Amino acid sequence: MHFPDDDNGQLLNEIAAAGIDLAQMHKIDFYILFEQKVDAEKFATAIAEDELSPATEFVQCTDTGIWEVVTQVEMVPDHTLLGQTEQYLESIANGYNGYGDGWGLMDGDDA
């Protein structure tokens, strides 16, 4: 498979090289960062009500104090769709002073 030469393309290439079938549905974790807990909580509440991403959790990084909201979307990990999902989640997060920090697919989390 050939992927675009960008961060998402590189990550998809690594995942495919690890033997994960990218034509199947997977649970993709998207990471959104916040300076303030109250902003993270508001975003987590808002995004948990969204049909796209009902599985959401947030934790505080012990090293930096930054709050990280992990929102999980079940989807086929297509390059274009991943980028659109990142933009969508970030557009909501921006309203709560949050910003995107990428995505990940855990081996064994596939549907």
Side-chain angles (χ1 to χ4, degrees):
M1 280 185 136
H2 177 72
F3 299 100
D5 187 19
D6 61 12
D7 289 342
N8 282 348
Q10 181 179 352
L11 188 51
L12 285 169
N13 189 44
E14 291 171 10
I15 291 169
I20 296 174
D21 185 356
L22 297 179
Q24 299 296 317
M25 295 286 281
H26 295 275
K27 293 176 183 174
I28 309 293
D29 292 332
F30 290 87
Y31 306 98
I32 308 291
L33 304 181
F34 298 85
E35 298 288 331
Q36 303 295 320
K37 180 180 181 181
V38 66
D39 293 331
E41 290 173 330
K42 288 178 183 177
F43 172 78
T45 298
I47 204 64
E49 294 173 359
D50 192 296
E51 289 181 13
L52 174 69
S53 180
T56 301
E57 65 179 72
F58 72 96
V59 296
Q60 185 176 30
C61 177
T62 55
D63 295 333
T64 64
I66 299 290
W67 290 90
E68 178 180 70
V69 175
V70 181
T71 185
Q72 194 172 79
V73 178
E74 190 166 349
M75 61 190 286
V76 173
D78 171 76
H79 185 271
T80 301
L81 188 55
L82 285 165
Q84 291 170 342
T85 304
E86 282 182 306
Q87 288 177 353
Y88 175 71
L89 293 172
E90 285 188 48
S91 72
I92 297 169
N94 289 340
Y96 300 99
N97 302 308
Y99 53 95
D101 193 36
W103 59 272
L105 184 158
M106 296 297 141
D107 189 18
D109 279 352
D110 50 324

